[in-house]
């Protein structure tokens, strides 16, 4: 299992992609990027490409999963995937069996490699297919704090699709609301310092 770091909402998946030593960037074709350093490869899947088939051993595949605004800035956030043995590890995951409580996290990064700065995580829970909880966390800087989190019901997630695809689940929807600044792990959200959130998402989510 990938290492996790505790957030105000749930456990966010922060895999140690940096350990692969991926650096540099070579443009190869529109909407497809390959990053190389030795035998490591990180690439952006082309539009319409099957994400699972594009995940190669020893490399990272990045695909846009979240688009929209945090604050006044528009952005795109990528889900990162890598193949470990016969399974795929992803920053978009779920836990729990079908029909019971299932927790989902879609953690997006601004680039094609792992970085905390600028990352955005959307999380929600389904019970028997019905949405019962939702939240979000945004990391503006290179460290874990300060960050911006949802508080109480300040972020609403609307789901358009939840489709089982083998062991994975394809989800599509939107998240809107307000995130509040948290200065440290022990601090409470500052209700006077906030950022509006308005994003849409579409991702193939893998078991933890």
């Amino acid at each position: 299992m990938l290492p996790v770091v505790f957030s105000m909402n749930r456990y966010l998946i922060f895999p140690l992609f940096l350990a692969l030593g991926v650096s540099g960037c070579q443009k190869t074709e529109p909407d497809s990027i390959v990053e190389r350093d030795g035998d490591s490869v990180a690439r952006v899947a082309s539009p319409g490409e099957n994400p699972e088939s594009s995940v190669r051993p020893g490399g990272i595949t990045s695909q846009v999963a979240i688009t929209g605004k945090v604050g006044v800035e528009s952005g795109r956030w990528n889900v990162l995937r890598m193949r470990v043995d016969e399974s795929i590890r992803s920053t978009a995951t779920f836990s729990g069996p079908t029909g019971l409580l299932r927790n989902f996290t879609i953690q997006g990064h601004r680039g094609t490699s792992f970085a905390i700065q600028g990352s955005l995580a959307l999380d929600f829970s389904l019970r028997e297919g019905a949405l019962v909880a939702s939240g979000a966390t945004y990391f503006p800087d290179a460290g874990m704090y300060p960050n911006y989190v949802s508080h109480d019901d300040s972020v609403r997630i609307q789901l358009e699709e939840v489709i089982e695809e083998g062991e994975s689940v394809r989800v599509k929807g939107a998240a809107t609301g307000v995130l509040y600044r948290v200065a440290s792990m022990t601090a409470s959200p500052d209700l006077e310092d906030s950022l509006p959130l308005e994003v849409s998402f579409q991702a193939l989510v893998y078991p933890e």
Side-chain angles (χ1 to χ4, degrees):
M1 179 174 292
L2 297 175
V4 295
V5 177
F6 183 72
S7 76
M8 293 295 293
N9 289 318
R10 287 197 181 93
Y11 288 94
L12 298 185
I13 310 114
F14 278 115
L16 301 180
F17 287 128
L18 290 179
L20 294 176
V22 178
S23 62
C25 181
Q26 176 186 351
K27 184 73 174 181
T28 58
E29 58 183 75
D31 298 313
S32 180
I33 298 175
V34 176
E35 298 184 357
R36 297 182 181 275
D37 183 9
D39 294 330
S40 297
V41 178
R43 61 188 298 279
V44 177
S46 300
E49 184 177 7
N50 184 327
E52 186 162 333
S53 65
S54 66
V55 182
R56 300 169 181 172
I60 305 168
T61 293
S62 171
Q63 193 162 50
V64 175
I66 305 171
T67 59
K69 289 184 177 181
V70 177
V72 298
E73 296 186 4
S74 298
R76 308 194 314 172
W77 289 265
N78 303 315
V79 161
L80 306 180
R81 302 181 183 90
M82 64 184 297
R83 188 177 294 277
V84 179
D85 297 326
E86 298 301 317
S87 62
I88 291 177
R89 295 293 181 259
S90 172
T91 61
T93 66
F94 73 91
S95 61
T98 304
L100 300 178
L101 183 66
R102 304 178 88 179
N103 299 319
F104 293 78
T105 295
I106 303 172
Q107 180 178 296
H109 298 270
R110 295 302 295 268
T112 58
S113 59
F114 171 78
I116 294 176
Q117 186 168 14
S119 61
L120 172 66
L122 308 176
D123 57 327
F124 57 92
S125 298
L126 300 178
R127 187 189 300 276
E128 297 182 348
L131 185 69
V132 295
S134 59
T137 306
Y138 174 65
F139 297 87
D141 302 319
M144 296 298 296
Y145 293 94
N147 59 40
Y148 286 80
V149 304
S150 52
H151 179 63
D152 292 336
D153 296 323
S154 68
V155 167
R156 178 181 295 273
I157 287 180
Q158 295 181 320
L159 293 172
E160 299 177 25
E161 295 179 355
V162 180
I163 302 173
E164 303 285 337
E165 295 191 5
E167 293 184 352
S168 305
V169 181
R170 186 172 298 278
V171 297
K172 180 180 180 181
T176 57
V178 180
L179 303 177
Y180 298 99
R181 188 177 187 272
V182 176
S184 68
M185 183 176 290
T186 58
S188 299
D190 182 354
L191 302 185
E192 301 298 321
D193 189 344
S194 64
L195 293 174
L197 172 72
E198 185 176 356
V199 298
S200 60
F201 60 88
Q202 184 171 359
L204 190 61
V205 185
Y206 291 85
E208 287 184 349

